[in-house]
């Protein structure tokens, strides 16, 4: 009987040893994963404000349409009415440029990747869809690329930068407007 207890005790210890070895392996694997995450943290981050302006700071707002390739720039007259810079006599929906200003004053990126060398992989080109934000001091050109349906965002980059951003679908929708979408119905 004593021999039987000794064998059962040893068998139970065998399970404990196996569990201890598995725990050690998990500890090592987890440590390597966290180390890898730490090393890639510089190139990948989540939700960050990349444009932070007040509505009053934006004096002009525009976009180059991904649909027809035309640049539409809106400015305000002395009474605060928006007009199309290339044709001030065209009557436009006044809420549209104001919506664009509200959309572009605080731009949030849901992820970013730095040091990107080839933006064409993301559908971004210097003659493609873009948003133009003009303040009294400077202008910002934000190029809009392809949609990432998995992350529900659009790829984007600022002119002169090598950082890829992921922006909400609203920015892709903004760059898809055409002049017909912005005209007042008569």
């Amino acid at each position: 009987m004593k021999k039987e207890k000794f064998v059962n005790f040893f068998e139970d210890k065998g399970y404990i040893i196996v569990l201890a070895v598995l725990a050690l392996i998990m500890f090592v694997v987890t440590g390597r994963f966290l180390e890898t995450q730490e090393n890639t943290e510089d190139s990948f981050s989540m939700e960050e404000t990349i444009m932070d302006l007040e509505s009053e700071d934006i004096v002009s707002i525009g976009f180059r349409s991904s649909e027809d390739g035309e640049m539409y720039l809106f400015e305000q007259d002395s009474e605060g009415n928006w007009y199309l810079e290339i044709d001030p006599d065209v009557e436009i929906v006044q809420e549209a440029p104001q919506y664009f200003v509200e959309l572009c004053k605080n731009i949030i990126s849901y992820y970013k990747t730095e040091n990107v060398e080839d933006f064409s992989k993301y559908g971004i080109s210097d003659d493609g869809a873009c948003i133009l934000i003009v303040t009294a001091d400077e202008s910002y050109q934000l190029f809009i690329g392809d949609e990432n349906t998995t992350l529900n965002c659009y790829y984007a980059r600022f002119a002169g930068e090598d950082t890829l951003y992921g922006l909400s679908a609203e920015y892709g929708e903004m760059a898809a407007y055409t002049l017909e979408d912005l005209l007042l119905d008569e």
Side-chain angles (χ1 to χ4, degrees):
M1 194 78 146
K2 286 187 177 187
K3 187 176 180 184
E4 198 173 291
K5 281 186 180 181
F6 178 76
V7 171
N8 287 341
F9 177 77
F10 185 72
E11 284 177 358
D12 291 343
K13 289 289 185 183
Y15 291 120
I16 292 173
I17 291 171
V18 169
L19 289 175
V21 169
L22 287 175
L24 180 62
I25 290 170
M26 291 300 294
F27 179 74
V28 170
V29 169
T30 303
R32 296 255 188 241
F33 174 75
L34 292 175
E35 184 179 304
T36 302
Q37 288 295 95
E38 216 171 79
N39 291 340
T40 61
E41 195 170 297
D42 291 339
S43 64
F44 183 84
S45 63
M46 299 299 286
E47 201 169 311
E48 173 183 347
T49 300
I50 58 173
M51 175 73 66
D52 191 15
L53 300 170
E54 298 295 325
S55 297
E56 305 81 45
D57 295 337
I58 299 175
V59 295
S60 298
I61 188 93
F63 63 92
R64 182 170 35 234
S65 174
S66 60
E67 295 299 313
D68 61 18
E70 293 294 321
M71 174 60 86
Y72 301 110
L73 184 64
F74 301 94
E75 296 182 353
Q76 280 186 306
D77 61 20
S78 58
E79 297 171 2
N81 295 313
W82 289 97
Y83 64 92
L84 189 60
E85 187 222 14
I86 59 171
D87 192 353
D89 295 329
V90 172
E91 290 191 44
I92 60 168
V93 177
Q94 289 294 303
E95 293 81 12
Q98 192 58 46
Y99 167 72
F100 300 152
V101 166
E102 292 302 312
L103 181 63
C104 293
K105 71 179 185 180
N106 299 106
I107 300 175
I108 296 173
S109 172
Y110 296 102
Y111 73 88
K112 75 176 184 179
T113 302
E114 297 177 333
N115 303 319
V116 175
E117 293 180 12
D118 185 7
F119 285 98
S120 65
K121 295 178 190 177
Y122 307 99
I124 298 173
S125 68
D126 289 348
D127 59 351
C130 72
I131 297 171
L132 183 62
I133 303 161
V134 182
T135 68
D137 299 324
E138 68 184 292
S139 63
Y140 306 90
Q141 196 168 12
L142 181 65
F143 295 101
I144 306 296
D146 293 336
E147 182 178 12
N148 180 322
T149 54
T150 304
L151 298 176
N152 193 28
C153 66
Y154 277 81
Y155 296 116
R157 81 165 177 92
F158 282 104
E161 292 186 10
D162 64 355
T163 302
L164 178 72
Y165 297 103
L167 307 182
S168 77
E170 293 170 308
Y171 298 95
E173 293 166 5
M174 177 179 171
Y177 280 102
T178 63
L179 183 58
E180 290 76 34
D181 297 326
L182 305 172
L183 294 177
L184 281 175
D185 292 331
E186 297 186 26

PDB file of all heavy atoms in Angstrom, residues 13-29:
ATOM      1  N   LYS A  13       3.574  14.513  -9.415  1.00  0.00           N
ATOM      2  CA  LYS A  13       4.710  15.424  -9.577  1.00  0.00           C
ATOM      3  C   LYS A  13       5.106  15.530 -11.045  1.00  0.00           C
ATOM      4  O   LYS A  13       5.525  16.580 -11.506  1.00  0.00           O
ATOM      5  CB  LYS A  13       5.922  14.940  -8.757  1.00  0.00           C
ATOM      6  CG  LYS A  13       5.748  15.082  -7.277  1.00  0.00           C
ATOM      7  CD  LYS A  13       5.787  16.517  -6.899  1.00  0.00           C
ATOM      8  CE  LYS A  13       5.744  16.612  -5.385  1.00  0.00           C
ATOM      9  NZ  LYS A  13       5.711  17.934  -4.894  1.00  0.00           N
ATOM     10  N   GLY A  14       4.946  14.445 -11.799  1.00  0.00           N
ATOM     11  CA  GLY A  14       5.250  14.467 -13.235  1.00  0.00           C
ATOM     12  C   GLY A  14       4.370  15.473 -13.955  1.00  0.00           C
ATOM     13  O   GLY A  14       4.836  16.223 -14.807  1.00  0.00           O
ATOM     14  N   TYR A  15       3.090  15.508 -13.607  1.00  0.00           N
ATOM     15  CA  TYR A  15       2.184  16.487 -14.197  1.00  0.00           C
ATOM     16  C   TYR A  15       2.588  17.905 -13.824  1.00  0.00           C
ATOM     17  O   TYR A  15       2.540  18.816 -14.641  1.00  0.00           O
ATOM     18  CB  TYR A  15       0.734  16.231 -13.764  1.00  0.00           C
ATOM     19  CG  TYR A  15       0.141  14.974 -14.346  1.00  0.00           C
ATOM     20  CD1 TYR A  15      -0.309  13.960 -13.530  1.00  0.00           C
ATOM     21  CD2 TYR A  15       0.030  14.822 -15.721  1.00  0.00           C
ATOM     22  CE1 TYR A  15      -0.861  12.806 -14.055  1.00  0.00           C
ATOM     23  CE2 TYR A  15      -0.525  13.669 -16.263  1.00  0.00           C
ATOM     24  CZ  TYR A  15      -0.961  12.666 -15.431  1.00  0.00           C
ATOM     25  OH  TYR A  15      -1.504  11.537 -15.955  1.00  0.00           O
ATOM     26  N   ILE A  16       3.013  18.062 -12.605  1.00  0.00           N
ATOM     27  CA  ILE A  16       3.436  19.385 -12.146  1.00  0.00           C
ATOM     28  C   ILE A  16       4.664  19.840 -12.923  1.00  0.00           C
ATOM     29  O   ILE A  16       4.766  20.989 -13.333  1.00  0.00           O
ATOM     30  CB  ILE A  16       3.685  19.373 -10.623  1.00  0.00           C
ATOM     31  CG1 ILE A  16       2.353  19.193  -9.894  1.00  0.00           C
ATOM     32  CG2 ILE A  16       4.381  20.652 -10.175  1.00  0.00           C
ATOM     33  CD1 ILE A  16       2.481  18.991  -8.405  1.00  0.00           C
ATOM     34  N   ILE A  17       5.581  18.941 -13.156  1.00  0.00           N
ATOM     35  CA  ILE A  17       6.789  19.288 -13.907  1.00  0.00           C
ATOM     36  C   ILE A  17       6.425  19.680 -15.336  1.00  0.00           C
ATOM     37  O   ILE A  17       6.918  20.675 -15.869  1.00  0.00           O
ATOM     38  CB  ILE A  17       7.796  18.115 -13.880  1.00  0.00           C
ATOM     39  CG1 ILE A  17       8.347  17.946 -12.457  1.00  0.00           C
ATOM     40  CG2 ILE A  17       8.929  18.333 -14.873  1.00  0.00           C
ATOM     41  CD1 ILE A  17       9.175  16.691 -12.249  1.00  0.00           C
ATOM     42  N   VAL A  18       5.536  18.917 -15.962  1.00  0.00           N
ATOM     43  CA  VAL A  18       5.097  19.245 -17.323  1.00  0.00           C
ATOM     44  C   VAL A  18       4.436  20.620 -17.342  1.00  0.00           C
ATOM     45  O   VAL A  18       4.699  21.453 -18.216  1.00  0.00           O
ATOM     46  CB  VAL A  18       4.137  18.158 -17.859  1.00  0.00           C
ATOM     47  CG1 VAL A  18       3.468  18.608 -19.150  1.00  0.00           C
ATOM     48  CG2 VAL A  18       4.878  16.850 -18.074  1.00  0.00           C
ATOM     49  N   LEU A  19       3.574  20.916 -16.385  1.00  0.00           N
ATOM     50  CA  LEU A  19       2.924  22.233 -16.308  1.00  0.00           C
ATOM     51  C   LEU A  19       3.946  23.337 -16.085  1.00  0.00           C
ATOM     52  O   LEU A  19       3.845  24.418 -16.678  1.00  0.00           O
ATOM     53  CB  LEU A  19       1.869  22.244 -15.197  1.00  0.00           C
ATOM     54  CG  LEU A  19       0.611  21.426 -15.481  1.00  0.00           C
ATOM     55  CD1 LEU A  19      -0.302  21.408 -14.252  1.00  0.00           C
ATOM     56  CD2 LEU A  19      -0.133  21.996 -16.673  1.00  0.00           C
ATOM     57  N   ALA A  20       4.943  23.083 -15.262  1.00  0.00           N
ATOM     58  CA  ALA A  20       5.983  24.083 -15.010  1.00  0.00           C
ATOM     59  C   ALA A  20       6.765  24.370 -16.290  1.00  0.00           C
ATOM     60  O   ALA A  20       7.078  25.520 -16.597  1.00  0.00           O
ATOM     61  CB  ALA A  20       6.911  23.607 -13.897  1.00  0.00           C
ATOM     62  N   VAL A  21       7.094  23.345 -17.051  1.00  0.00           N
ATOM     63  CA  VAL A  21       7.820  23.533 -18.321  1.00  0.00           C
ATOM     64  C   VAL A  21       6.966  24.319 -19.303  1.00  0.00           C
ATOM     65  O   VAL A  21       7.451  25.238 -19.966  1.00  0.00           O
ATOM     66  CB  VAL A  21       8.245  22.151 -18.900  1.00  0.00           C
ATOM     67  CG1 VAL A  21       8.751  22.304 -20.326  1.00  0.00           C
ATOM     68  CG2 VAL A  21       9.308  21.502 -18.022  1.00  0.00           C
ATOM     69  N   LEU A  22       5.672  24.010 -19.404  1.00  0.00           N
ATOM     70  CA  LEU A  22       4.773  24.754 -20.284  1.00  0.00           C
ATOM     71  C   LEU A  22       4.667  26.224 -19.864  1.00  0.00           C
ATOM     72  O   LEU A  22       4.666  27.131 -20.698  1.00  0.00           O
ATOM     73  CB  LEU A  22       3.389  24.117 -20.306  1.00  0.00           C
ATOM     74  CG  LEU A  22       3.276  22.797 -21.075  1.00  0.00           C
ATOM     75  CD1 LEU A  22       1.876  22.210 -20.912  1.00  0.00           C
ATOM     76  CD2 LEU A  22       3.571  23.005 -22.546  1.00  0.00           C
ATOM     77  N   ALA A  23       4.602  26.473 -18.567  1.00  0.00           N
ATOM     78  CA  ALA A  23       4.546  27.845 -18.064  1.00  0.00           C
ATOM     79  C   ALA A  23       5.815  28.598 -18.427  1.00  0.00           C
ATOM     80  O   ALA A  23       5.772  29.771 -18.824  1.00  0.00           O
ATOM     81  CB  ALA A  23       4.317  27.855 -16.558  1.00  0.00           C
ATOM     82  N   LEU A  24       6.955  27.942 -18.314  1.00  0.00           N
ATOM     83  CA  LEU A  24       8.231  28.565 -18.668  1.00  0.00           C
ATOM     84  C   LEU A  24       8.273  28.907 -20.156  1.00  0.00           C
ATOM     85  O   LEU A  24       8.703  29.997 -20.537  1.00  0.00           O
ATOM     86  CB  LEU A  24       9.389  27.637 -18.294  1.00  0.00           C
ATOM     87  CG  LEU A  24      10.793  28.155 -18.595  1.00  0.00           C
ATOM     88  CD1 LEU A  24      11.064  29.434 -17.807  1.00  0.00           C
ATOM     89  CD2 LEU A  24      11.829  27.099 -18.281  1.00  0.00           C
ATOM     90  N   ILE A  25       7.813  27.995 -20.992  1.00  0.00           N
ATOM     91  CA  ILE A  25       7.771  28.250 -22.438  1.00  0.00           C
ATOM     92  C   ILE A  25       6.867  29.442 -22.730  1.00  0.00           C
ATOM     93  O   ILE A  25       7.232  30.333 -23.508  1.00  0.00           O
ATOM     94  CB  ILE A  25       7.296  26.985 -23.194  1.00  0.00           C
ATOM     95  CG1 ILE A  25       8.378  25.897 -23.123  1.00  0.00           C
ATOM     96  CG2 ILE A  25       6.965  27.315 -24.652  1.00  0.00           C
ATOM     97  CD1 ILE A  25       7.917  24.548 -23.629  1.00  0.00           C
ATOM     98  N   MET A  26       5.693  29.512 -22.127  1.00  0.00           N
ATOM     99  CA  MET A  26       4.774  30.637 -22.326  1.00  0.00           C
ATOM    100  C   MET A  26       5.403  31.941 -21.870  1.00  0.00           C
ATOM    101  O   MET A  26       5.255  32.974 -22.516  1.00  0.00           O
ATOM    102  CB  MET A  26       3.450  30.396 -21.587  1.00  0.00           C
ATOM    103  CG  MET A  26       2.605  29.285 -22.189  1.00  0.00           C
ATOM    104  SD  MET A  26       2.149  29.609 -23.902  1.00  0.00           S
ATOM    105  CE  MET A  26       1.097  31.013 -23.685  1.00  0.00           C
ATOM    106  N   PHE A  27       6.122  31.899 -20.774  1.00  0.00           N
ATOM    107  CA  PHE A  27       6.797  33.092 -20.257  1.00  0.00           C
ATOM    108  C   PHE A  27       7.826  33.600 -21.271  1.00  0.00           C
ATOM    109  O   PHE A  27       7.891  34.790 -21.565  1.00  0.00           O
ATOM    110  CB  PHE A  27       7.463  32.779 -18.917  1.00  0.00           C
ATOM    111  CG  PHE A  27       8.207  33.933 -18.325  1.00  0.00           C
ATOM    112  CD1 PHE A  27       7.513  34.989 -17.754  1.00  0.00           C
ATOM    113  CD2 PHE A  27       9.590  33.987 -18.351  1.00  0.00           C
ATOM    114  CE1 PHE A  27       8.180  36.064 -17.209  1.00  0.00           C
ATOM    115  CE2 PHE A  27      10.269  35.057 -17.817  1.00  0.00           C
ATOM    116  CZ  PHE A  27       9.566  36.104 -17.243  1.00  0.00           C
ATOM    117  N   VAL A  28       8.599  32.717 -21.838  1.00  0.00           N
ATOM    118  CA  VAL A  28       9.626  33.093 -22.822  1.00  0.00           C
ATOM    119  C   VAL A  28       8.971  33.637 -24.085  1.00  0.00           C
ATOM    120  O   VAL A  28       9.376  34.676 -24.609  1.00  0.00           O
ATOM    121  CB  VAL A  28      10.547  31.881 -23.136  1.00  0.00           C
ATOM    122  CG1 VAL A  28      11.446  32.180 -24.327  1.00  0.00           C
ATOM    123  CG2 VAL A  28      11.374  31.512 -21.915  1.00  0.00           C
ATOM    124  N   VAL A  29       7.944  32.954 -24.589  1.00  0.00           N
ATOM    125  CA  VAL A  29       7.257  33.393 -25.801  1.00  0.00           C
ATOM    126  C   VAL A  29       6.616  34.765 -25.574  1.00  0.00           C
ATOM    127  O   VAL A  29       6.720  35.663 -26.402  1.00  0.00           O
ATOM    128  CB  VAL A  29       6.202  32.356 -26.243  1.00  0.00           C
ATOM    129  CG1 VAL A  29       5.303  32.912 -27.328  1.00  0.00           C
ATOM    130  CG2 VAL A  29       6.898  31.084 -26.717  1.00  0.00           C
TER     131      VAL A  29
END
